[in-house]
Amino acid sequence: MQQNYYEMLEVSPSATLAEIKRSYHRLARQLHPDLNKQALDTHIKRLNLVYQTLRDPQKRAAYDEQLAEEQRQAALRLQAQREAEMTWKEGFFGFVDELKKGLKE
């Protein structure tokens, strides 16, 4: 799973374009090799890629969909892992609880 672009820019997924731009410029000043001798060139390149993706509405929508799909897959893997760790008794009672929920709806 790739790193979350919103976390890299230190903004929320609902951030406006102005918030994204402001955060990008702040981080670019911190990470630019000409201004910070300890910063790596790869950091600013990665930051530029993140900004290019999030500032374009079409690229951002595609990224958001990809991120949502990765989160769904992670949730499914976690659920499968949890189910694999269940005892027979826990699984049976879990099934009965889900069945009761389904009947109520």
Side-chain angles (χ1 to χ4, degrees), residues 83-99:
E83 288 174 357
E85 294 172 353
M86 265 188 214
T87 65
W88 182 90
K89 187 177 179 181
E90 291 170 333
F92 177 76
F93 286 112
F95 170 76
V96 171
D97 290 341
E98 290 296 317
L99 185 61

Side-chain angles (χ1 to χ4, degrees), residues 1-49:
M1 183 173 159
Q2 67 185 15
Q3 188 169 355
N4 187 315
Y5 284 4
Y6 296 106
E7 289 175 4
M8 290 177 70
L9 274 182
E10 299 174 359
V11 296
S12 72
S14 61
T16 65
L17 187 55
E19 292 170 327
I20 289 171
K21 186 176 183 178
R22 186 173 35 253
S23 183
Y24 165 74
H25 286 290
R26 180 180 52 79
L27 291 170
R29 281 190 300 274
Q30 290 176 1
L31 297 175
H32 199 281
D34 292 342
L35 301 174
N36 181 354
K37 299 299 179 197
Q38 296 163 342
L40 299 175
D41 192 39
T42 55
H43 290 148
I44 194 70
K45 287 180 180 179
R46 184 75 175 158
L47 184 65
N48 287 334
L49 172 67

Side-chain angles (χ1 to χ4, degrees), residues 1 61-75:
M1 183 173 159
Y63 172 75
D64 287 343
E65 181 58 38
Q66 178 186 4
L67 186 63
E69 180 60 30
E70 287 178 1
Q71 290 172 343
R72 281 191 291 273
Q73 292 298 324

